[in-house]
Structures are given as structure tokens and as C-alpha cells.
Amino acid sequence: MFEGVAVIVLTVVVVLVVAVGVIIALAVTRRPADQWKSHLRNQPASWTELEDEGVVLDDVDPQEVSLMDMLATGAQSGSAYVEPEEIPGYEHLESAAERIERLQSARGSEQAGERPDAAGAADSGR
């Protein structure tokens, strides 16, 4: 019983240490530790500057809304399917897909014993 609890506690501690280490590593890769120190020192000062200037930081109050009202507010009529032309970079994706299809067909004809450039000639003779 004691060993099981000890293993669970040890596992939780190890997971927390690894999580904190990952967060610190990601933070330090974003900006050096010296910049973090100055940023964290200046952060409370920026809040007090806003209050000194008369800017009031109000709390956000929750609003109660029914699910139907919320869905009606953001509703869009039409199909839920996305048209390919609406996707940014559609042409780039289409050309990449065509290149992949050409490579796959060329590999398929090579495995069948034909050369990729002779595939057209083989089809015309049938």
C-alpha cells in the first residue's frame, strides 16, 4: 500500500518537474533570461502607469446567454463544407498534389517494368 502511494507521489513530482522545465526552456528560447528579468520587473510598473493616467481596468463580467441565442448570433447560412477555392494557398496545394500524383504514377509504372517516359507510348499502342 505504502509503495503504491510512494510511486504515485514520485511520478507526480517527476511530471511536475519536467513540465516546469519545459515551460522554462520554451520561455528562455523565446527571449533570454536577462530580458525576462527586466520584463517582469517592468510589468507591475506598466499597470500602475495605466492607473496613474486614469485608464480604469474594469473586470470582465460574465453574461448569461442561451445556447440558441449564441448560435443565432454567429450563424451562417449555407453548406458546412469548405470550397477548395476559399482555402488560402489553394493553388499551391493543388500543384503539390499534382506533383505527388505524377511521382506516384511514375513509381507505379517503374514497378510494373515500364519506364515513366514510355508509359504514354505503351498506352497509345493498346
Side-chain angles (χ1 to χ4, degrees):
M1 169 87 178
F2 179 71
E3 293 89 9
V5 172
V7 168
I8 291 173
V9 168
L10 181 64
T11 303
V12 168
V13 168
V14 168
V15 167
L16 289 175
V17 167
V18 169
V20 168
V22 166
I23 290 171
I24 289 172
L26 291 174
V28 170
T29 57
R30 183 172 174 219
R31 62 174 76 164
D34 294 337
Q35 287 182 0
W36 274 113
K37 287 178 188 175
S38 63
H39 173 74
L40 293 175
R41 279 192 208 118
N42 297 336
Q43 195 65 34
S46 67
W47 292 335
T48 56
E49 286 175 8
L50 288 175
E51 291 173 357
D52 292 342
E53 293 174 3
V55 177
V56 179
L57 301 175
D58 294 330
D59 293 333
V60 177
D61 296 325
Q63 299 175 355
E64 290 188 18
V65 178
S66 71
L67 177 62
M68 298 310 285
D69 291 340
M70 185 177 65
L71 290 175
T73 303
Q76 295 179 356
S77 62
S79 175
Y81 292 103
V82 177
E83 295 294 327
E85 293 82 18
E86 296 175 6
I87 299 173
Y90 164 73
E91 294 83 13
H92 178 69
L93 292 173
E94 187 67 27
S95 65
E98 289 173 358
R99 282 183 294 192
I100 291 172
E101 288 173 356
R102 282 195 305 262
L103 287 172
Q104 288 177 341
S105 66
R107 287 184 184 153
S109 62
E110 286 176 0
Q111 290 175 354
E114 300 174 357
R115 291 188 331 226
D117 54 30
D123 289 339
S124 64
R126 290 185 187 170

